Amino acid sequence: MGILTGEEGDPVALENAVARGPVILVCEHASRLLPQALGTLGLPEEALESHIAWDPGALAVSRLMAESLDATLIFQRFSRLVYDCNRPPESPAAIPEKSEVFTVPGNAGLDQAARDARTEAVYLPFREKLAALVADRIAQGRAPVIVTMHSFTPVYFGQPRAVEIGILHDADARLADAMLAAAGGGGPYDVRRNAPYGPEDGVTHTLKEHGLSNGLANVMIEVRNDLIKDEAGQRVVADYLAGLLEKSLPAVK
Ligand SMILES: [Zn+2]
């Protein structure tokens, strides 16, 4: 059974493809759209609108950053509940049966064929398009910098989170170190290293797959989603993060 119909289009979107800046912005959790074939996955509307389906605000902030950094933006057009593009196919979290307080009935007990269908429809096109973009830049002698953009919920399992912006990295901390140094201690936001998640949580898949494997500087940015719930907040955070990146890129050239 096909997951996506022809009218649902390419699951991967590319914006500002011919950008002149070095940064490639990646937004794996941009959208809460579900393919028609999967209905609601058995979830109530409340869950389908919540952070378990997508990273609210992350795409809007990424678009503003793409403009100010003259960066290419690539994002997944379907919800991470269909397939979480920041997880490899062998990870159970790629097609989550549970997400925070919600169980996902439409993801329960899938057989290998059903898992493969999700992977082929949603993940592989995303991985291939991003890999091709990176390879093309390298071939042009313009080694890119990979920046993945996410948002997180201010309250998780009932616990409030104080961190406002997380700068995450895996084995290559060059860009994260430079950004944390540029953020300093007295800036407008509570900025922390590898918070509220870190590599031990399996969140650095895209960084490893496309950044580390190619020796490219890379970082993952997590923004608390209450800061970017409207256009004004998105603009302030996008300007702040673009500024941090501009100050930090010379350190990884
Ligand atoms: Zn995310």
Side-chain angles (χ1 to χ4, degrees):
M1 176 193 79
I3 299 288
L4 298 179
T5 64
E7 4 181 280
E8 286 177 306
D10 191 331
V12 191
L14 198 59
E15 295 183 358
N16 204 14
V18 290
R20 286 162 297 180
V23 171
I24 295 176
L25 292 161
V26 183
C27 201
E28 301 99 318
H29 305 151
S31 168
R32 60 190 179 86
L33 185 65
L34 293 177
Q36 282 178 13
L38 298 181
T40 62
L41 290 172
L43 285 164
E45 195 55 34
E46 173 204 3
L48 294 173
E49 286 174 7
S50 79
H51 67 93
I52 76 159
W54 66 319
D55 285 358
L59 177 60
V61 170
S62 300
R63 282 181 163 145
L64 293 169
M65 290 171 69
E67 199 180 319
S68 52
L69 294 167
D70 197 1
T72 294
L73 167 62
I74 182 169
F75 65 93
Q76 171 56 247
R77 291 182 48 245
F78 289 94
S79 170
R80 65 161 157 222
L81 294 173
V82 182
Y83 186 106
D84 181 337
C85 282
N86 194 27
R87 294 292 190 287
E90 64 275 16
S91 166
I95 305 172
E97 292 191 31
K98 266 184 95 171
S99 185
E100 202 195 1
V101 296
F102 293 98
T103 55
V104 187
N107 288 354
L110 296 184
D111 63 16
Q112 193 58 46
R115 295 185 67 85
D116 290 349
R118 301 268 193 107
T119 303
E120 282 159 24
V122 174
Y123 175 68
L124 294 183
F126 184 81
R127 188 181 72 182
E128 281 159 20
K129 192 162 277 191
L130 177 51
L133 179 64
V134 167
D136 185 54
R137 292 287 165 88
I138 292 172
Q140 292 173 35
R142 301 170 56 207
V145 172
I146 309 293
V147 178
T148 69
M149 292 296 305
H150 295 260
S151 73
F152 63 94
T153 179
V155 179
Y156 191 61
F157 285 111
Q159 296 297 309
R161 287 160 152 172
V163 56
E164 293 179 308
I165 293 176
I167 304 293
L168 285 68
H169 61 83
D170 202 283
D172 178 353
R174 288 175 294 160
L175 184 54
D177 287 348
M179 289 181 73
L180 286 159
Y189 296 109
D190 182 332
V191 183
R192 301 186 197 179
R193 181 189 299 271
N194 285 333
Y197 309 106
E200 68 280 4
D201 301 305
V203 298
T204 51
H205 171 66
T206 299
L207 300 187
K208 291 191 283 189
E209 180 81 21
H210 300 279
L212 287 161
S213 69
N214 290 304
L216 302 173
N218 62 87
V219 74
M220 174 174 176
I221 300 176
E222 283 272 12
V223 182
R224 207 176 66 197
N225 69 31
D226 57 308
L227 301 172
I228 51 174
K229 62 181 191 288
D230 58 29
E231 276 182 43
Q234 290 158 5
R235 169 61 70 185
V236 173
V237 168
D239 286 350
Y240 175 73
L241 292 174
L244 277 192
L245 276 166
E246 272 168 350
K247 279 182 213 154
S248 307
L249 288 171
V252 296
K253 281 286 161 192

